[in-house]
Amino acid sequence: MLDIQLIRKEPGRVEKALASRGAEPKALEEILKLDEKWRKLRGEADALNAKRNELSRKTGELRKKIEKEKGKEPLYPVGMHEMADRIKAANTEADKLKVKIDSLLLTLPNLPHESVPVGKNAEENKVVRKWGEPRKPAFKAKEHWEIGEELGIIDFERGARMSGHRFAVLRGDGAKLERALINFMADFAVKRGYLEHITPHLVTAATMTGTGQLPKFEEELYRCERDGLYLIPTAEVTLANMHAGEQLKEEQLPLNYCGYTPCYRREAGAYGKDIKGIMRQHQFDKIELVKFARPEDSYVELEKLVKDAAAVLEALGLPYQVVELCTADLGFASAKTYDIEVWLAGQGKYREISSCSNCEDFQARRMNCRFWRKNKLEFPHTLNGSGLAVGRTMIAIIENCQQADGSVEIPAALVPYFGKKKIG
């Protein structure tokens, strides 16, 4: 959520920043109009309160003086009841306006950090570095879905039969590889200083609102109507909400959390994209990394986050590139994002496997998470990134490590978890 004080003081700057993301300014205009009315009502209520308090004080002094004289009736303030009614009416109207303002604020995306390149679409994202040489086998490389079916480790037909489009069954070594990657990534994150968590997969609307999934992405979420709960699209939701409504201490920061969860996404806007394979599923596994940091440290922590996520790929020997997103391609809650894209030999191109973002105080405001510093409460900055998306890492291993005989070699770092050196 954006700071209403910033909107009041620098509406032009906010409008320009939102425009750079392609966001409509209508909500901003409405917020400014409602806020002006709200401040006027609050001013009237405060003035009436001050007048009532002064009148009560003077009346109290007179009452004491008069009541000393026998036979005199007690003196009560004239018009106090009417004044109280006017104060109540002003406060009631102000509260209604505040609800409207807050609901509109929830629809506004975060403002891009000043270092984010301005751009109109993903084509204007900037590659900032590469690691490893893209693998180009001497034979005709196959895509993961072909290899998976030939080895009998991915069953698309039965997945679709049970659950519909964008579901698959991992069998035998496919299931084992998924499990090995989960354990490898979780241990990897813990060794790099992240505290591991197992969190709920079902959360309330308030929890989804805290990280920005609601109200913006209602159509992307799976909801359990009967219980009013949502299936999480990422462990970012639960890990970031660990301190919702809490007050931390400055010395606790930074906090580094990690967690494995299945993730559930309707992919409502992805019709026709990645139809084949397991690149874009409704249910997938992911290790998530989340940080809580002091505002002045958050961009240093972002660079660390990217390195931590990329280090998983380096350990597995998978080539990748880091891409800085332009303003128009930023996620709703993000102020700055780096995507990590892994090379896929079968597809012959880089594909996103992790997105590392600094949300600054955007989520903390929505969650009302604060920290004490010098007897003052401040909002921490929250950061998140995949470390990594497990299914896409499996795709990268299958495609990059495929052999001419149809088998797949397992990266050396993963062999202790998987138990053997190849599939097939």
Side-chain angles (χ1 to χ4, degrees):
M1 180 183 290
L2 299 183
D3 184 359
I4 187 65
Q5 295 288 349
L6 175 62
I7 293 175
R8 289 170 183 164
K9 293 178 181 177
E10 300 182 68
R13 175 194 159 194
V14 174
E15 183 177 0
K16 183 179 179 180
L18 291 175
S20 74
R21 297 185 51 124
E24 290 290 335
K26 292 181 180 179
L28 181 63
E29 294 171 3
E30 185 65 16
I31 287 169
L32 288 168
K33 290 178 183 177
L34 293 175
D35 183 59
E36 186 177 353
K37 293 179 181 178
W38 178 84
R39 284 189 288 169
K40 184 178 180 180
L41 284 168
R42 290 298 308 158
E44 290 176 0
D46 290 344
L48 286 169
N49 259 319
K51 187 175 181 180
R52 181 176 64 174
N53 291 338
E54 178 64 15
L55 183 58
S56 293
R57 184 186 66 78
K58 290 181 178 179
T59 301
E61 293 173 356
L62 286 171
R63 181 185 294 125
K64 289 178 183 178
K65 181 178 180 181
I66 293 173
E67 287 178 351
K68 286 181 180 179
E69 301 178 20
K70 293 182 180 180
K72 298 290 185 180
E73 292 293 327
L75 180 68
Y76 295 99
V78 177
M80 286 290 277
H81 290 301
E82 292 83 353
M83 196 175 295
D85 289 341
R86 289 172 62 191
I87 293 171
K88 183 179 179 181
N91 283 329
T92 299
E93 186 61 27
D95 289 343
K96 290 179 181 178
L97 287 173
K98 185 67 165 58
V99 170
K100 291 181 181 179
I101 292 169
D102 287 345
S103 66
L104 286 169
L105 283 171
L106 290 175
T107 69
L108 293 178
N110 203 352
L111 304 184
H113 185 260
E114 59 186 11
S115 66
V116 176
V118 176
K120 297 179 181 179
N121 52 53
E123 293 180 1
E124 298 186 59
N125 293 340
K126 178 184 177 183
V127 176
V128 294
R129 67 177 178 274
K130 293 175 180 281
W131 184 91
E133 286 296 322
R135 299 186 186 183
K136 297 177 181 179
F139 55 91
K140 180 174 170 45
K142 296 179 181 179
E143 295 196 45
H144 73 279
W145 56 270
E146 297 177 85
I147 302 169
E149 288 187 321
E150 290 172 1
L151 291 173
I153 61 175
I154 307 177
D155 190 330
F156 297 102
E157 182 181 346
R158 289 183 174 88
R161 186 191 308 165
M162 287 187 285
S163 304
H165 187 49
R166 296 191 189 276
F167 288 94
V169 174
L170 300 179
R171 306 178 66 209
D173 282 344
K176 191 174 183 180
L177 181 56
E178 181 94 350
R179 180 160 50 88
L181 282 168
I182 291 168
N183 289 332
F184 171 72
M185 291 176 187
D187 286 350
F188 197 91
V190 169
K191 288 175 184 176
R192 294 180 79 90
Y194 291 81
L195 180 64
E196 186 176 6
H197 294 71
I198 295 293
T199 62
H201 303 171
L202 289 160
V203 298
T204 64
T207 301
M208 284 290 193
T209 302
T211 43
Q213 275 69 32
L214 287 177
K216 173 70 173 177
F217 300 107
E218 176 78 39
E219 292 302 312
E220 287 288 323
L221 304 173
Y222 284 106
R223 184 184 181 193
C224 302
E225 297 285 346
R226 184 172 179 178
D227 302 295
L229 297 174
Y230 293 83
L231 283 165
I232 59 172
T234 166
E236 171 200 341
V237 173
T238 45
L239 291 175
N241 271 282
M242 285 291 294
H243 299 294
E246 295 184 15
Q247 296 176 4
L248 303 170
K249 297 178 181 178
E250 182 182 7
E251 54 267 28
Q252 291 179 264
L253 303 176
L255 290 169
N256 300 316
Y257 292 162
C258 70
Y260 154 71
T261 61
C263 305
Y264 307 90
R265 298 182 185 179
R266 293 185 65 236
E267 295 289 351
Y271 181 78
K273 295 180 181 178
D274 299 308
I275 296 174
K276 293 184 177 181
I278 57 172
M279 177 63 71
R280 197 180 297 274
Q281 297 277 279
H282 290 307
Q283 175 187 320
F284 59 95
D285 293 325
K286 188 152 68 84
I287 300 295
E288 188 73 6
L289 309 176
V290 165
K291 290 174 175 278
F292 293 78
R294 299 189 306 172
E296 64 269 28
D297 300 331
S298 68
Y299 281 94
V300 172
E301 292 298 330
L302 177 60
E303 298 299 326
K304 290 181 181 178
L305 181 66
V306 175
K307 289 181 181 179
D308 290 336
V312 179
L313 294 174
E314 293 177 16
L316 296 173
L318 300 173
Y320 68 85
Q321 64 181 17
V322 177
V323 178
E324 183 180 11
L325 302 194
C326 70
T327 52
D329 206 28
L330 289 176
F332 180 78
S334 175
K336 187 180 180 73
T337 295
Y338 292 104
D339 275 0
I340 301 174
E341 299 178 344
V342 67
W343 173 259
L344 301 181
Q347 296 185 30
K349 58 184 175 182
Y350 290 97
R351 295 298 301 271
E352 179 197 337
I353 196 168
S354 175
S355 190
C356 299
S357 301
N358 186 353
C359 298
E360 297 190 352
D361 63 4
F362 187 82
Q363 292 179 329
R365 287 181 182 278
R366 295 168 78 104
M367 297 183 295
N368 192 28
C369 170
R370 296 176 289 176
F371 74 98
W372 284 101
R373 173 155 53 181
K374 296 181 180 178
N375 298 317
K376 182 182 177 183
L377 280 170
E378 299 181 33
F379 291 103
H381 285 189
T382 60
L383 304 90
N384 65 80
S386 302
L388 298 162
V390 181
R392 295 191 176 195
T393 308
M394 180 186 290
I395 292 172
I397 290 173
I398 292 173
E399 294 197 10
N400 291 322
C401 301
Q402 61 181 294
Q403 305 299 305
D405 64 0
S407 65
V408 174
E409 286 192 352
I410 301 300
L414 196 60
V415 170
Y417 291 86
F418 187 67
K420 55 184 181 180
K421 295 182 178 180
K422 70 162 53 178
I423 299 174

